[in-house]
Amino acid sequence: MNELSELRGLRADAPLPDADRLAAPRARLTAAFRQETRPERAALPRRRMILVGAATAVALAVTAGVVTTLPENSTRASARKGPQVLSAGASADALELAAATVEKHDGTEPGPKQWVYEKSTVFVQGKPQSSEEWTRWDGTGHANLPGIPPAGDVSDFDPDELQVWYGPNQEEKWKKEGYDDRSQRQFYRFLATLPSDSDRMMKRIREEHAIGSIKGETRAQRDWREVDVLYRSVLIPPNVRAGLFRALAKIPGTRVTTGVKDPLGRAAIGVSVTYAERTPSGWQGKQEIFFDPESYAYLGETRDDGEMVSARAAWGVVNKPGARP
């Protein structure tokens, strides 16, 4: 196995990224692995940012157009078990590989009567608590498991019974009354209008003030928060997913780590930043987002401050509440 197959978890049935686009990052990754495995360096102290030692969501296959042939010793090094923190340059190249892959995916929008399903797990004092949620694409329905107990008498309440709500379409009302609320359909269609270029995309996102400005926050800190929140959306257009990976690559201090586990113990890659001091938003320490190493799908996130440990256990589009992909 070479370093590209390790980074991408490629599958043979997946769309192939453009070879020209991948050539430069692939060559840099190859050179980096060769540099780290040169025999004459074996006895030297390890550098702080190297491709050995100690980062979300979505793609695919070992093919002749993607595989780079590495020296045998490099192949053995890349196959070592355990987390491996990539250097700044290699992290950027890995994120570009992810972006070039996910933008090839199908971006078909669900039908208005279909439902978006998500099973999520949060950890409260280290103990996992899971819940399932179904949201109708046009915003007229919602369902939960476990259900939410009503106010008043709860003697007949069964948390294991699917709780389903139907109501009028709120999209026009929200728009007319100036609310920031959006149905999943409205949010997806907004994302679909964003430019593919990551700089212009992030500029548009900041202009929307989706998460609000925080006084004293730097552009890099704001962009990390924006990307972190956007990845929690179950459905994201392929061009935006690609742009988010490229935006992460431009945030100073971002690192990719391979060979890690997500909060549910699944194999993952992590993308992280570390704040030595508390940011204006209150975040401090390592902030890490996890992605599936085969599909680059969002899996969850953790924060060193302990305020966020969450995972997306399952997701998809179904035809009725209660159904699972």
Side-chain angles (χ1 to χ4, degrees):
M1 178 180 290
N2 59 43
E3 86 285 0
L4 291 181
S5 59
E6 182 180 36
L7 282 171
R8 304 190 55 213
L10 302 173
R11 292 199 309 262
D13 59 348
L16 180 64
D18 181 77
D20 291 337
R21 173 173 292 178
L22 300 185
R26 184 168 63 241
R28 289 193 292 270
L29 280 171
T30 302
F33 269 93
R34 285 173 174 162
Q35 179 72 6
E36 292 304 328
T37 55
R38 285 171 54 190
E40 61 269 28
R41 294 181 56 85
L44 296 178
R46 293 187 178 184
R47 293 174 298 162
R48 293 181 62 189
M49 298 300 175
I50 58 179
L51 290 170
V52 296
T56 151
V58 178
L60 310 132
V62 176
T63 66
V66 176
V67 172
T68 298
T69 301
L70 296 176
E72 183 180 356
N73 60 348
S74 178
T75 302
R76 287 199 301 268
S78 66
R80 285 179 300 194
K81 295 180 180 180
Q84 297 184 30
V85 178
L86 303 187
S87 65
S91 293
D93 292 337
L95 291 168
E96 175 56 33
L97 288 173
T101 301
V102 301
E103 65 187 354
K104 302 291 185 180
H105 287 187
D106 177 36
T108 302
E109 180 183 324
K113 296 182 179 181
Q114 289 187 294
W115 298 68
V116 176
Y117 168 78
E118 180 182 21
K119 181 178 181 180
S120 58
T121 301
V122 297
F123 291 78
V124 180
Q125 295 181 340
K127 296 181 179 180
Q129 297 184 4
S130 296
S131 61
E132 296 176 281
E133 185 175 16
W134 291 260
T135 305
R136 193 162 130 152
W137 190 243
D138 63 3
T140 64
H142 193 85
N144 292 86
L145 266 180
I148 300 173
D153 184 16
V154 295
S155 58
D156 294 330
F157 173 70
D158 182 0
D160 295 326
E161 181 178 344
L162 182 67
Q163 190 176 77
V164 184
W165 169 90
Y166 287 97
N169 189 317
Q170 300 292 301
E171 293 176 337
E172 288 302 318
K173 177 182 178 181
W174 290 334
K175 182 178 179 180
K176 182 178 179 180
E177 297 182 5
Y179 291 122
D180 291 333
D181 303 68
R182 290 188 176 99
S183 68
Q184 293 209 35
R185 178 169 67 178
Q186 285 177 308
F187 189 63
Y188 183 92
R189 289 178 177 176
F190 160 70
L191 293 178
T193 67
L194 296 178
S196 297
D197 176 79
S198 61
D199 290 331
R200 292 190 296 128
M201 183 188 76
M202 293 305 299
K203 183 176 184 293
R204 278 281 311 280
I205 290 172
R206 287 191 295 269
E207 290 172 350
E208 287 293 312
H209 298 289
I211 61 173
S213 301
I214 296 178
K215 184 178 180 180
E217 192 173 41
T218 68
R219 172 68 60 80
Q221 292 167 349
R222 169 67 180 269
D223 282 355
W224 177 269
R225 280 201 307 125
E226 293 276 12
V227 171
D228 175 78
V229 170
L230 284 172
Y231 269 126
R232 299 179 204 172
S233 302
V234 179
L235 299 183
I236 303 176
N239 69 301
V240 177
R241 288 166 65 187
L244 291 177
F245 279 118
R246 292 184 176 118
L248 283 172
K250 294 181 179 181
I251 296 176
T254 298
R255 291 293 183 271
V256 171
T257 308
T258 63
V260 298
K261 301 288 187 180
D262 80 340
L264 295 180
R266 297 171 294 188
I269 63 171
V271 183
S272 65
V273 293
T274 300
Y275 300 127
E277 299 180 357
R278 189 170 299 277
T279 67
S281 64
W283 293 5
Q284 188 172 15
K286 186 177 183 179
Q287 322 290 312
E288 190 162 26
I289 305 173
F290 299 97
F291 299 95
D292 185 281
E294 294 186 355
S295 67
Y296 295 109
Y298 171 85
L299 294 179
E301 60 186 283
T302 60
R303 296 182 196 161
D304 270 358
D305 56 19
E307 294 183 4
M308 172 67 74
V309 179
S310 66
R312 179 175 292 158
W315 64 94
V317 177
V318 296
N319 292 322
K320 61 180 181 180
R324 297 175 177 85

